[in-house]
Structures are given as C-alpha cells and as structure tokens.
C-alpha cells in the first residue's frame, strides 16, 4: 500500500513538472519561412458536422486552439471570446475540441457546443472533436506540427489550449503554450502586426 502511494505520488509529480515546463512554450517563425503546403487547402467539420474549407478564413489572421471543457485552462474560453470581441475585424478564432490530454474533453459535439455557449457565450468558430496528436491526428494539426508542411514548426500541442497563429498569407507565425493567455501582449502584438 505504501509503495503504491509512493509510485502514484512520483508519477503525479512528474506529470506536474512536464505540464508546467510545456505550458510556457513560445515558438516564433523568426526567419519568416513560408509553408510548403497551403493551409487553405485543408478542411474540417464544424461542431454541427458541416465541412468548412480553411480558405474561408483567408482575409484575416487565424488563431487555432485545441480546447477541452474539463481542463484547468478551460477559463481561457472567456479570454478567447474577449479576444474575438476586441479583434473580430482582424482575427478568426478556430477552436478544436480534443480528448487527447488525460480525457479532459469527454463530451459529444452537442454537449461541447452547449457547454461553450452556456458557460462562456462563445461566438467564434468551434469544430468537431478531433485528435491533435498521434496516429489519428487531424489534417489541420498535422499541418501545424509538421515543418515539411508549415515550413518550420514540428511542435505538436503540449496540452489543451495550445495556440497557433497564422497570418493573412497562410503562414504559421507563432505557437504559444497553454499557460500563455490569449490576451497576452505577445499574441496581441502579432495580431496587430502587418505581414
């Protein structure tokens, strides 16, 4: 019994350290590398199952976030909605629910949609629940985390609420870890920057 408690404690400490270290990641496309495959050729189903081409979002920057309803970062939905309100003339926010991190998004698409509307008044685009890593990775996240497609980044999401920013030219310009607020100066300065 005592050994089991010690092993569980060590495991939890290791998980906590891993999450803490990965939560502050910041990666920027400092060399302005262009994608090797177009983001706008990709497609995903919205939360209601309708296919949406990413070319629909060509006119503005795009912030892509993998989200979950039972995560310590879930209150960032409120910050994302605030960002949407403040920058809707410059930015599209695309939320992709995922159950890839400790099963923190167990709901159905209908439950997720209701949760977001009721608890956070979400008005930005939410898509069907997908995998953001591993062998079943969705094509959107495959592009975001493969430098042979996006031109420079191989970093997959480290946890729920990892943030990827794409400019108006379809170039991946940055990645921020879950702990970094969507309202941070780092992200807002990139939204306001001309490319």
């Amino acid at each position: 019994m005592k050994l089991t408690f010690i092993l569980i404690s060590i495991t939890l400490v290791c998980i906590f350290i891993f999450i803490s270290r990965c939560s502050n990641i910041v990666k920027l496309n400092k060399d302005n590398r262009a994608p090797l495959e177009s983001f706008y050729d990709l497609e995903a189903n919205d939360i209601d199952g309708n296919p949406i081409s990413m070319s629909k979002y060509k006119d503005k920057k795009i912030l892509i976030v993998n989200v979950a309803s039972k995560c310590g970062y879930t209150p960032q939905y409120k910050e994302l909605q605030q960002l949407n309100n403040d920058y809707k003339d410059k930015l599209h926010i695309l939320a992709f629910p995922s159950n890839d991190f400790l099963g923190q998004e167990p709901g159905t698409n209908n439950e997720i949609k209701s949760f977001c509307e009721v608890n956070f008044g979400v008005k930005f685009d939410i898509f069907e629940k997908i995998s953001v890593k591993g062998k079943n990775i969705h094509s959107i996240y495959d592009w975001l985390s493969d430098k042979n497609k996006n031109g420079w980044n191989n970093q997959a999401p480290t946890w729920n609420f990892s943030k990827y920013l794409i400019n108006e030219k379809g170039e991946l310009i940055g990645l921020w870890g879950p702990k970094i607020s969507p309202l941070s100066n780092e992200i807002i300065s990139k939204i306001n920057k001309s490319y």
Side-chain angles (χ1 to χ4, degrees):
M1 182 76 126
K2 188 174 182 180
L3 180 60
T4 302
F5 176 76
I6 291 170
L7 290 174
I8 290 171
S9 298
I10 290 170
T11 302
L12 290 174
V13 167
C14 290
I15 290 171
F16 176 77
I17 290 169
F18 172 77
I19 292 169
S20 295
R21 286 181 47 210
C22 294
S23 294
N24 286 319
I25 287 176
V26 175
K27 290 184 75 177
L28 301 174
N29 186 356
K30 294 179 183 176
D31 298 327
N32 298 317
R33 293 191 179 166
L36 302 173
E37 295 182 13
S38 175
F39 175 77
Y40 301 125
D41 290 341
L42 301 173
E43 186 177 280
N45 290 339
D46 69 15
I47 197 78
D48 296 316
N50 304 306
I52 305 292
S53 171
M54 294 300 108
S55 63
K56 171 184 176 180
Y57 303 107
K58 270 186 176 179
D59 58 333
K60 302 176 186 175
K61 291 185 177 74
I62 304 165
L63 185 68
I64 298 177
V65 186
N66 59 303
V67 295
S69 59
K70 298 189 181 300
C71 176
Y73 296 113
T74 300
Q76 285 189 18
Y77 268 124
K78 182 177 179 183
E79 295 173 9
L80 289 166
Q81 184 56 48
Q82 183 64 50
L83 190 67
N84 183 69
N85 294 345
D86 293 348
Y87 293 93
K88 60 185 168 195
D89 59 326
K90 297 180 180 185
L91 179 71
H92 294 289
I93 297 174
L94 311 184
F96 287 88
S98 176
N99 200 36
D100 288 344
F101 299 100
L102 289 182
Q104 293 184 341
E105 186 51 271
T108 65
N109 288 318
N110 285 337
E111 290 168 339
I112 294 165
K113 181 179 179 181
S114 177
F115 174 84
C116 291
E117 290 173 353
V118 170
N119 294 293
F120 298 101
V122 167
K123 302 291 184 211
F124 51 83
D125 292 344
I126 303 175
F127 289 79
E128 283 184 342
K129 187 162 69 169
I130 61 166
S131 287
V132 299
K133 63 178 188 161
K135 67 178 183 175
N136 294 320
I137 190 170
H138 189 277
S139 60
I140 299 286
Y141 276 85
D142 187 40
W143 186 90
L144 290 170
S145 59
D146 184 346
K147 71 178 181 180
N148 296 315
K149 296 178 181 181
N150 65 53
W152 64 276
N153 178 59
N154 275 334
Q155 179 68 58
T158 56
W159 201 256
N160 302 309
F161 291 88
S162 294
K163 301 151 197 79
Y164 295 82
L165 186 64
I166 297 169
N167 69 15
E168 299 88 342
K169 299 182 208 174
E171 300 167 337
L172 179 62
I173 57 175
L175 158 65
W176 293 268
K179 196 170 185 177
I180 297 168
S181 166
L183 297 172
S184 71
N185 288 334
E186 296 174 57
I187 294 176
I188 290 174
S189 69
K190 297 293 183 194
I191 292 169
N192 285 322
K193 184 176 177 180
S194 296
Y195 288 89

